[in-house]
Amino acid sequence: TLQYQLAVQGGGFRLGVGAGLFASSLANNSYGFRDSLGYRFIVQNQRDVINYGPGAVMHFHHTTFPVGGNIGLMLNNASRIQYLAGASLMVGDRGQVGFNGGLTFGTVARLAAPYVVDKRLDGNDAKLTAVPTIDRLELGWYGGVSYNFSAAK
């Protein structure tokens, strides 16, 4: 089993490994072209507001208090890894279910410089066949529910 308890004065410290479903604010932007009156413009398509997907976390909390921390990662709906760190509320008679939330860090697609949404493209830029994007590291929030495989029996 993956159960660990570290001795501390007046109780213990519990580490547990779990998996679950998570949602995060780190979403990719999607872009396209709009042609109007002989000119070409880059436009932002409807943006995903939330990414979601499976993840794995390590919970840690004192045995007498069900609130603690967690670290982990999730694979979002764009097949990108996001790193998680935050707080957990462990519930259930053995502390096997965790409600998690905190900060996430990962890459997202953004429009490359010097391009600007809704600005007319001139010269060779007007002949682009794909909108130039870059991957940028960003910070956001996450929330999720996990099952702790190593809950005390």
Side-chain angles (χ1 to χ4, degrees), residues 29-43:
N29 289 347
S30 171
Y31 303 94
F33 293 107
R34 176 177 48 91
D35 294 313
S36 177
L37 302 174
Y39 296 106
R40 191 164 217 204
F41 300 85
I42 293 176
V43 294

Side-chain angles (χ1 to χ4, degrees), residues 29-151:
N29 289 347
S30 171
Y31 303 94
F33 293 107
R34 176 177 48 91
D35 294 313
S36 177
L37 302 174
Y39 296 106
R40 191 164 217 204
F41 300 85
I42 293 176
V43 294
Q44 183 173 332
N45 299 329
Q46 179 140 1
R47 179 177 182 232
D48 288 339
V49 178
I50 293 180
N51 261 323
Y52 53 88
V57 289
M58 183 176 73
H59 304 103
F60 45 93
H61 62 92
H62 195 273
T63 55
T64 59
F65 193 62
V67 176
N70 69 65
I71 58 172
L73 53 88
M74 71 175 273
L75 184 64
N76 66 27
N77 56 332
S79 297
R80 294 178 182 225
I81 292 178
Q82 293 180 3
Y83 301 94
L84 314 171
S88 295
L89 171 63
M90 305 306 291
V91 297
D93 42 336
R94 294 179 311 197
Q96 67 269 31
V97 177
F99 293 95
N100 311 288
L103 296 176
T104 183
F105 182 72
T107 59
V108 290
R110 297 292 184 250
L111 186 61
Y115 301 100
V116 178
V117 171
D118 292 327
K119 182 179 176 192
R120 186 177 83 196
L121 296 172
D122 295 316
N124 286 335
D125 289 340
K127 298 174 187 171
L128 289 173
T129 58
V131 177
T133 60
I134 59 167
D135 287 341
R136 195 167 76 193
L137 290 171
E138 288 191 4
L139 191 64
W141 59 263
Y142 80 94
V145 177
S146 60
Y147 181 80
N148 189 1
F149 298 119
S150 54

Side-chain angles (χ1 to χ4, degrees), residues 1-21:
T1 180
L2 299 171
Q3 179 68 26
Y4 299 98
Q5 278 193 254
L6 306 174
V8 264
Q9 184 103 6
F13 197 79
R14 182 173 292 151
L15 297 176
V17 177
L21 294 174

